[in-house]
Amino acid sequence: FLEMVSNPKLVLVQGTLNVVMKQNVTLSCLSEPGSPPVRYTLFKHNQQVSALNRSDLSPALFTLTISSASDAGEYKCKAETNNSSGGKYSNSLNFTLLEPISKPVLSSPTSQAKKGQNVTLSCFSENGSLPITYLFFKGTQNISPQKTMQKREAAVIFLFINSLGDFGTYKCKANNSFPNNTKYSNGFNFTLAEERSHSQTLIISLGLILLLLIIGLALAIPFFVIPLYKASE
């Protein structure tokens, strides 16, 4: 009695679905029940990767090396016997390639600030597998909850410059699922914007008034002084 193959089960027996470059993974494909011999074929999307024949009820083991981004993606296997038509397909397993993050860049639209001003800081790592988690620091103290970005965009925080103590060196750090891959940004400092004193403001105002009087006098000469001079001749 020959038993037809059932839909095989594709199982990861070595490694993880989140893989790093040059990592080995092993997949097991088994149709149970199913009368041997059974031919197992592994596919990535619709492209055949490998095929194995089993003359007993043992699973087919496929070992892969994820050596590039093209090796990641969805895998399925197919089981078929000499007496089956078309074969049966398994569930799919999807591999994601983890890439290390690059050093994040900490920046702000302004480098000068004064007390009582709101400012923003943004932290961005251009490369690396998503999601990426960011954390902001002033000195060695973190100043915000961690921000996990699911898209390739910067994490932004808002700060209120309340005192001179808020002027100092800020940094951020970034990490993702890639093992042992935490990167710190450059340091960023806000400088205190100079504020004009009341006396400076008064002097500037008086200077502008004097300048306007001189310009007004110069414009008035052709209309008043010259006609008076001609009339006295």
Side-chain angles (χ1 to χ4, degrees), residues 12 114 133:
L12 182 66
K114 56 186 178 181
T133 299

Side-chain angles (χ1 to χ4, degrees), residues 114-205:
K114 56 186 178 181
K115 288 187 289 184
Q117 182 179 342
N118 290 308
V119 294
T120 61
L121 280 173
S122 63
C123 185
F124 180 65
S125 186
E126 187 174 358
N127 299 310
S129 306
L130 297 171
I132 297 176
T133 299
Y134 296 95
L135 193 61
F136 292 81
F137 296 87
K138 181 179 181 295
T140 58
Q141 182 180 5
N142 71 71
I143 56 174
S144 72
Q146 65 179 21
K147 294 179 175 289
T148 300
M149 312 304 293
Q150 303 291 341
K151 297 181 180 179
R152 186 75 60 189
E153 57 188 16
V156 179
I157 62 169
F158 299 89
L159 301 174
F160 180 68
I161 303 299
N162 190 44
S163 66
L164 291 177
D166 295 322
F167 292 91
T169 301
Y170 291 85
K171 284 189 176 185
C172 68
K173 73 174 182 179
N175 59 56
N176 62 1
S177 298
F178 194 92
N180 303 316
N181 185 231
T182 297
K183 297 286 181 65
Y184 286 84
S185 73
N186 54 296
F188 186 91
N189 290 74
F190 291 104
T191 56
L192 180 63
E194 294 183 2
E195 299 182 17
R196 293 191 178 95
S197 65
H198 291 297
S199 60
Q200 288 176 318
T201 304
L202 181 60
I203 291 172
I204 293 173
S205 300

